[in-house]
Amino acid sequence: MFSLFKKDPTKKLNKLLSIKLKEAMEAQRKGDIRTYSQLTFEADQIDKQIIEIEQKNTQA
């Protein structure tokens, strides 16, 4: 009944993922490959968290 008022935990992570990917793209365009690599790594970690949360939700 109260699940209607629960916040979606993946919504915040998806927004953060989008920001990281945008920053990575901008770093790549500037030629800063080291920053690009770091940001894509962080984005990958966020993506793994999202997948893990979604799998938990489908199992429950």
Side-chain angles (χ1 to χ4, degrees):
M1 177 177 174
F2 292 105
S3 64
L4 173 67
F5 300 110
K6 266 188 178 176
K7 290 187 177 183
D8 184 18
T10 59
K11 187 175 181 181
K12 183 178 178 182
L13 289 174
N14 279 323
K15 186 174 182 178
L16 184 60
L17 176 64
S18 176
I19 291 169
K20 288 289 182 187
L21 290 174
K22 183 178 178 185
E23 290 174 353
M25 178 193 63
E26 291 170 358
Q28 185 181 28
R29 285 185 176 174
K30 290 180 184 177
D32 189 359
I33 301 304
R34 188 173 303 234
T35 303
Y36 167 75
S37 298
Q38 180 64 32
L39 290 170
T40 53
F41 175 77
E42 292 173 9
D44 186 49
Q45 296 300 314
I46 294 169
D47 190 43
K48 288 179 183 178
Q49 288 178 354
I50 293 170
I51 291 170
E52 184 179 308
I53 290 171
E54 288 176 348
Q55 286 176 349
K56 285 182 182 178
N57 287 342
T58 58
Q59 290 176 356

